[in-house]
Amino acid sequence: MIPEKSRSPFYPGQPVPIEYFSGRTEIIVKMERVINQVSHGKPQSVFISGEYGIGKTSLANYIRFISEEKFKLFGIHLLCGGVNNLNDLSVKLGDSIIKSGYKKNALGKVRDMLAKYIGEQELFGIKIHLDKLKEDSEQISKNILPFLVDLFKRLSSGNDNFNGILLILDEINGIANNPDFAYFIKSFVDENAISLNPLPILLILCGIEERRKQLIHIHQPIERIFDIIEVNPMESNEVETFYINAFKSVGISIDKKALSMLTYYSGGYPKLMHIIGDNVFWIDKDNSISEDDVLLGVVNAANEFGRKFIDSQVFDALKSKNYQSILKKLTKELVSSAEFVFFIKSDIEKLLTEPEKKTFHNFLQKMKKLNVLKEGSIRGEYAFNNKMIVMYIYMSTVKSS
C-alpha cells in the first residue's frame, strides 16, 4: 500500500527555497565573479532582466545565499511591491536591514545605529517600530548612501566582519515609473564610484525588460550603469534534471516519455514547471509518474495558471469560442517555431478557414487592447507580450485534443 502523500517538492506561486534551486549554471558562474569583485572592494551594479514567471526572485534569493555564505556580504533583499516612492523604499530598507542583522547574528553591530527602530525580542524574531521608521523615512531617503556607508563601517569592524553589502531591489514595477527613483539610482552609483573610499556594494535590480527601458527613458545615463543578466527559459536538460531530482526527493520515479512531456509543456518556465509538477505530484497514486499522470496534470495546471495569473478580462477573451480555433492553430505554430512569440499575420491566415479569417482582424485588435499582443518591428508582424500565455494556451488545448 502506497503511503499517503504529505509534502510536495514543488513551490507554485512562490520563490523556490535554496535547497531546491537548480539550473542557471552560466548565470551563477558570472555572478560569482561579480560578487568576488565586491568582496575585494569594487562596487558593482547588475540588472536581472526577464519576463514574468522566469524565476528572477528565486535567482536573486540564491545569489544572496552565495553572497552571504561564500563571500561574506551582508545581504539585503527588498521586495518592492507596494513601494511607490523613495520614502517607502527607505522604510523597506530599514526593516530589511534589521531583519537581516537578526538572521545573521549581526544585530549587535548595528543596534546603536538603529536602536530607535528595534523593539523587544519576540517568539519568532524581533519587533520593529515601523511607525518610527516612517517618521524618519524622508531623512533616510535623502541620505541612503551615507546610511549604508555607516552600516558597513559597523559590519566590517571587530570580529566576524563582513566584506561588503548586497542590496537587491526586487519587484520594482511600482517605483520604476517614479522619476525620483531613476535619478536616485544614477546618483547613488556615481557618488559612490567617485568617493575616496567607495562602499563595496553589489546593487541588483530585478524586473522585466520594460522596467529597465522605462528607467532609461526617464534618465538616459542609467543605460551605462548596469551589467545586464538576462534570464531566459531553462534549457531542456536543466528542466529534466529539475523534475528527476524533485520527484526523487520524495521517492517517486518518472518514465522517459512522461519526463519528455513535462519538459515540453513547461517550456522552461520555472513558474509553469512548479505548477505542472505540483499537479502531477498529487495526481500520481503509485509513486511512478506516467504519461497519463502528466496529461491530467497539464490540464489541471492550465486551469490553475489561468485562474491565478491571467487578468480576468484576458482569461475570458482567451476562453472565447469565437477565438478558440484561431488560438489553437496560432499556438501550435508558435510552439514549433524558433521565435516562439513572433508571428506574421499573413502566415497565420494561410492556416485559417474562411470564417476564421473574417474573425482574425478583430481577434488581433482585441488581444492588442488587452495587452496580450503587440505589433512587431515590421509590417504585419505581431508578438505575445508574455511567453507564458502562449504556453498556457497550448496547455489548454490538451483537454480538447
Side-chain angles (χ1 to χ4, degrees), residues 330 333-334 337 339 341-352 360 364 376-383:
L330 173 57
E333 186 71 10
L334 286 173
S337 72
E339 291 293 343
V341 295
F342 290 92
F343 63 92
I344 304 296
K345 180 182 178 183
S346 58
D347 291 341
I348 302 302
E349 284 177 328
K350 296 174 184 177
L351 306 174
L352 305 179
F360 194 39
L364 294 174
S377 57
I378 62 176
R379 183 177 177 83
E381 183 183 61
Y382 291 85

Side-chain angles (χ1 to χ4, degrees), residues 170-184:
D170 199 352
E171 299 178 1
I172 61 171
N173 286 347
I175 197 171
N177 63 357
N178 187 327
D180 290 342
F181 181 67
Y183 288 105
F184 157 72

Side-chain angles (χ1 to χ4, degrees), residues 286-306:
D286 60 1
N287 283 352
S288 178
I289 306 299
S290 67
E291 293 174 77
D292 289 341
D293 293 333
V294 174
L295 281 173
L296 185 53
V298 166
V299 171
N300 291 351
N303 290 329
E304 181 180 338
F305 178 80

Side-chain angles (χ1 to χ4, degrees), residues 19 124 157 183 251 288 360 390:
E19 60 269 26
F124 299 108
S157 64
Y183 288 105
S288 178
F360 194 39
V390 179

Side-chain angles (χ1 to χ4, degrees), residues 168-233:
I168 302 170
L169 304 182
D170 199 352
E171 299 178 1
I172 61 171
N173 286 347
I175 197 171
N177 63 357
N178 187 327
D180 290 342
F181 181 67
Y183 288 105
F184 157 72
I185 292 294
K186 175 66 167 55
S187 63
F188 180 93
V189 172
D190 284 354
E191 287 176 18
N192 188 44
I194 64 175
S195 65
L196 291 176
N197 294 297
L199 172 68
I201 184 170
L202 171 53
L203 173 65
I204 296 179
L205 268 60
C206 299
I208 59 176
E209 178 61 12
E210 283 78 2
R211 296 293 83 80
R212 189 179 73 88
K213 291 179 178 178
Q214 191 172 25
L215 291 170
I216 293 170
H217 178 74
I218 293 171
H219 193 41
Q220 199 276 333
I222 281 184
E223 188 172 23
R224 66 171 177 80
I225 288 177
F226 294 102
D227 287 332
I228 301 170
I229 297 292
E230 187 174 353
V231 186
N232 295 309

Side-chain angles (χ1 to χ4, degrees), residues 158-176:
N159 297 324
D160 195 28
N161 58 312
F162 291 82
N163 295 324
I165 290 176
L166 166 67
L167 176 59
I168 302 170
L169 304 182
D170 199 352
E171 299 178 1
I172 61 171
N173 286 347
I175 197 171

